[in-house]
Amino acid sequence: MEWETVIGLEVHVQLATKTKIFSGSSTAFGAEPNTQACAIDLAMPGTLPVVNAEAYRLAVMFGLGIDAEIAKRSFFERKNYFYPDVPKGYQTTQLDSPIVGPGHVDITLDDGSTKSIRIHHAHLEEDAGKSVHEGFYDMSGIDLNRAGTPLIEIVSEPDISNSEEAVAFAKKLHGIVTSLGISDGDMSQGSMRFDVNISVRKPGDELGTRTETKNLNSFKFMEDCIALEVERQIDLIENGGKIKQETRLYNGDTGVARSMRSKEEANDYRYFPCPDLLPVEIDDEYIEAVRSTMPELPSARKARFISELGLSDYDAETLSSDAVQASFFEQAAATASDAKLAANWVMGEVSAHLNSDEISISEAPITGELLGGLIVRIKDNTISNKIAKDVFEAMWAGEGDADSVIEAKGLKQVSDTGALEAIVDEVLAASEAMVEEYINTEESKRKKKLGGFMGPIMKASKGQANPRAVNEILLKKLNERL
Amino acid sequence: MHNKTIAELAQGLRSKEFSSEELTRHYLERIERLDSNYNSFITITPEQAIAQAQAADQRLASGNQPILCGVPIAHKDIFCTDGIRTSCGSKMLDNFTPPYNATIVENYAAAGAVTLGKLNMDEFAMGSSNETSYYGPVKNPWDTNCVPGGSSGGSAAAVAAHLAPAATASDTGGSIRQPASLCGLTGLKPTYGRVSRWGMIAFASSLDQAGPLTRTAEDSAIMLGTMASFDSKDSTCLDQTVPDYTATLGDSLQGLRIGVPKEYFSEGLNPETASRVQDAIKEFERQGATVKEISLPHTHLAVPAYYVIAPAECSANLSRFDGVRYGYRCENPADLADLYKRSRSEAFGEEVQRRILVGAYALSAGYYDAYYRKAQQVRRLIKQDFVDAFNDIDVVMGPTATSPAFEFGAKSNDPVAMYLEDIYTIATNLAGLPGLSIPCGLVDNKPVGLQLIGNYFSEAKLLNAAHQYQLVTDYHQQSAPAID
């Protein structure tokens, strides 16, 4: 390989607390601008921050989830810079004493092997507000609803070698934070955002100069952005250029990246310990209390899917990677009493529909329980697999559960022998040539000829004929003619 | 009425000698008539005061009420008052009306105290002479050619001129004690964490502490008892029971161990001030206290360390004043950078800008270790000096300020000379200890103060010592000459 890519990720994850990290304002997404910003969030004079203990607990839980060292003593610092959506003129964050120390996240590569990505640390901090540039003539609007939302920033070591690994790592992290319930992981709402540090080098060389692309909010954008940036860097170097250390922006919609600021333009943030907040000290008892309330991690869930539900390694890995998907699957499997079928449906139809609708599983129009209900009707032969897909479409479109769709559309599979015999007789009568051909075919090859009758029979039954029953009747009737 | 202490006013209110409304109207009339001589008020709130007084009278009529019920006081304009402009002495906040009360404002309101108005101060509490206020300098009632001290100059002048029986104030490096010394008052800076900082506009968060300016130690004990409370809105506020500070005022000083730091009687000290302070210490000896010389060896590092830490914190604390959400905004900003630069340049005074620049410099890359980190190390050494000293003494005593009140302009063009005003008070803030200044005589017909520094949460002991001293001396009863 001629070039080697070195990637490190910084991942911002919004914590699922009800209130902000330093104030009592709600963190709910989507409210009218500035309706969820109190005097503290507005940085009114004389106001003071108080740490939200729940944010702390969730950060500790994350640390336990990646097998990290938890700092017994940590404190907040001020990162000073002026920007309209940073109301205090500084962001309260952690630098010298992050709550989560070194840990690791293990990813599965395409060849089935495992790679451990080291986590340098994860720290707690507050989110900024938002600047709104549209709709204000010649001015900008500021929405401080998001200001003070608790974040953990997870900083990886540069252990990632390509975009596939980066995506696998990001998905794994997503699975961990959603499984632990410490974040909703909703990337469309900015609950999880990625900054990607990229450099290239010849194998054996020292690390190349890196660039940082900020605020990528989907796996796809991250994958595309990495590919683009690696290509840009290699092209530049091969054409005799030099990589400039800079911060870049990538527009996922247009697929265009540009430089935002160079290292020389970077701020001196003048970090210093925040004098309004005392250092937070925790002990083993606290850590163990958090550990005892931890929900199941994706790795444990995967193991359980294999041992208890009999799924393949691949299916178990896929289904456990996302907490909402895993719960959806488990519901479906429990309702259907069939893990394998449920797995196929979740990874097949459900996943395909999510992709084409471009929504996440949490926004799916059906529940795992509803899917399970559909599978039950396949298993008890009420409907065929083929009809089941039509029922699924209708369910997805919000037309109700499987039974009401089957009922409303009259899709119940016809297994009634009398009715089926009539249809078969009708088709055989209309297909004399095919019947002759069947009779004249060698016995060992006759089975293949059966398929020719199935199409017209299913058509005549409007797809509702139970294929197995049709098969039996057809065989019986044809054999009578021999 | 205006010559009475709070303790006496509380008595008068209960014996129906006068009502709170009469008392309040009397003070409002005095402020109206006399404050043009001193410029101690930025905002006077007569309507609200009378309404509060009438409510207090009703409360008093219904029986047992907190001691401050119906007593008029005034707040330094650093404390946010709901619905009342809170300027912090700055053009930046000339148009700022907070929608919330500082916790201490809330505490006094709950006790039924009446608020007369908001008091002048150095801009953002940065100054030792009250010459940096956007609202003009405050004059010392003892000599209107002289400064009242700062930054709580308005608080000190108002109480010294009997325009209010007591005032709230704040002390980051001496801003309660030095004006108390220069205006002949009792000024207490409590232990860091004793009083909530919620709603007190921050200068240097790790040093700022609110406290009262009064005429007597007894009044100080009354004021502190209401001001101090545990407040979950301030993470640095400590959850310690608030004792009845008046209950121990009568304790004997027999066996009180006083330490007098030799470093506090250095060359910069006015010899006459030194002599008044030494006389005062002798008075304590007469009351049964033992006195010994001690050493606080890092005293000389207090001012330099303070002038790194306080500006560093203020450089961040004042970043929120950016012209975006409230406060002053420049006319027609060309762009965002212009909005920031002009809003801040036009609305912050020279001293505030100087400290922001010094602080930003001390925190900047490449200088942090040499300045900020070093200053924090020095801070620990200074604290350790006191911890060691308090192993075998109870109270440190020495001067509060180097000299009596100086004339306007005497130090305003020499920042370092001005900073040295706080040489004896700053170490207390760096260590987080309580400090009290009480009048101990006159030099050139101007008051000078004795400073008492105690161990953490020993306010009751300091007030007890001060009260016992005031029982046998009358310096605290001497009023500025022009007071009728």
Side-chain angles (χ1 to χ4, degrees), chain A residues 62 65-66 105 171-181 297-298 321:
Chain A
F62 172 76
I66 60 160
V105 170
K171 285 188 171 165
K172 192 72 188 249
L173 269 185
H174 186 264
I176 292 171
V177 300
T178 53
S179 296
L180 292 176
L297 278 165
S321 67

Side-chain angles (χ1 to χ4, degrees), chain B residues 140-309:
Chain B
N140 190 324
W142 288 81
D143 179 346
T144 51
N145 293 316
C146 288
V147 304
S151 65
S152 309
S155 302
V159 178
H162 296 199
L163 304 182
T168 59
S170 69
D171 189 317
T172 305
S175 284
I176 293 175
R177 292 160 289 160
Q178 184 253 15
S181 177
L182 270 51
C183 292
L185 299 174
T186 299
L188 173 64
K189 181 204 94 75
T191 307
Y192 184 81
R194 172 74 287 180
V195 175
S196 169
R197 293 189 297 117
W198 172 265
M200 177 170 75
I201 298 176
F203 159 18
S205 312
S206 74
L207 302 160
D208 296 343
Q209 186 66 189
L213 270 164
T214 55
R215 294 214 296 278
T216 67
E218 185 182 20
D219 284 1
S220 190
I222 293 168
M223 284 290 283
L224 180 64
T226 299
M227 184 184 274
S229 64
F230 172 64
D231 184 4
S232 58
K233 289 191 290 195
D234 173 4
S235 307
T236 61
C237 193
L238 294 165
D239 193 0
Q240 288 257 349
T241 323
V242 181
D244 176 358
Y245 294 106
T246 59
T248 46
L249 291 174
D251 289 1
S252 157
L253 298 187
Q254 195 67 43
L256 181 76
R257 298 168 303 169
I258 297 170
V260 179
K262 58 180 184 199
E263 292 83 1
Y264 282 29
F265 292 83
S266 50
E267 56 205 273
L269 181 62
N270 175 312
E272 287 201 65
T273 299
S275 134
R276 301 293 176 281
V277 168
Q278 269 145 358
D279 288 350
I281 295 170
K282 286 201 188 83
E283 181 54 48
F284 283 95
E285 246 179 328
R286 274 195 286 279
Q287 294 200 31
T290 60
V291 177
K292 73 168 198 173
E293 185 182 84
I294 60 163
S295 176
L296 299 170
H298 297 95
T299 297
H300 65 291
L301 297 175
V303 169
Y306 176 88
Y307 278 98
V308 170
I309 292 168

Side-chain angles (χ1 to χ4, degrees), chain B residues 314-328:
Chain B
C314 102
S315 74
N317 282 335
L318 270 59
S319 292
R320 65 189 58 200
F321 306 112
D322 57 6
V324 174
R325 295 168 311 286
Y326 52 77
Y328 180 82

Side-chain angles (χ1 to χ4, degrees), chain A residues 417-464:
Chain A
T417 320
L420 286 180
E421 280 191 9
I423 295 171
V424 172
D425 286 340
E426 194 186 309
V427 171
L428 290 183
S431 321
E432 204 46 49
M434 269 167 69
V435 174
E436 282 304 315
E437 199 187 333
Y438 178 87
I439 292 166
N440 296 330
T441 304
E442 279 178 58
E443 191 178 344
S444 62
K445 291 178 182 166
R446 274 184 197 143
K447 213 174 173 184
K448 282 190 177 168
K449 296 287 173 189
L450 279 178
F453 298 101
M454 287 304 283
I457 293 168
M458 291 311 282
K459 198 175 170 192
S461 76
K462 300 196 183 82
Q464 284 163 264

Side-chain angles (χ1 to χ4, degrees), chain A residues 347-417:
Chain A
M347 291 161 62
E349 288 302 303
V350 173
S351 174
H353 279 72
L354 293 175
N355 283 340
S356 63
D357 290 2
E358 292 183 347
I359 55 173
S360 72
I361 185 125
S362 56
E363 300 163 289
I366 65 166
T367 63
E369 218 176 329
L370 283 173
L371 176 65
L374 174 66
I375 297 169
V376 167
R377 291 296 165 249
I378 301 169
K379 291 183 64 183
D380 69 10
N381 288 325
T382 306
I383 50 171
S384 67
N385 254 317
K386 188 170 173 299
I387 292 291
K389 289 189 179 172
D390 298 337
V391 176
F392 181 83
E393 284 296 342
M395 291 166 69
W396 196 264
E399 293 174 27
D401 65 9
D403 286 349
S404 50
V405 170
I406 292 166
E407 182 67 37
K409 301 205 173 212
L411 294 175
K412 205 162 186 171
Q413 186 158 263
V414 181
S415 302
D416 169 40
T417 320

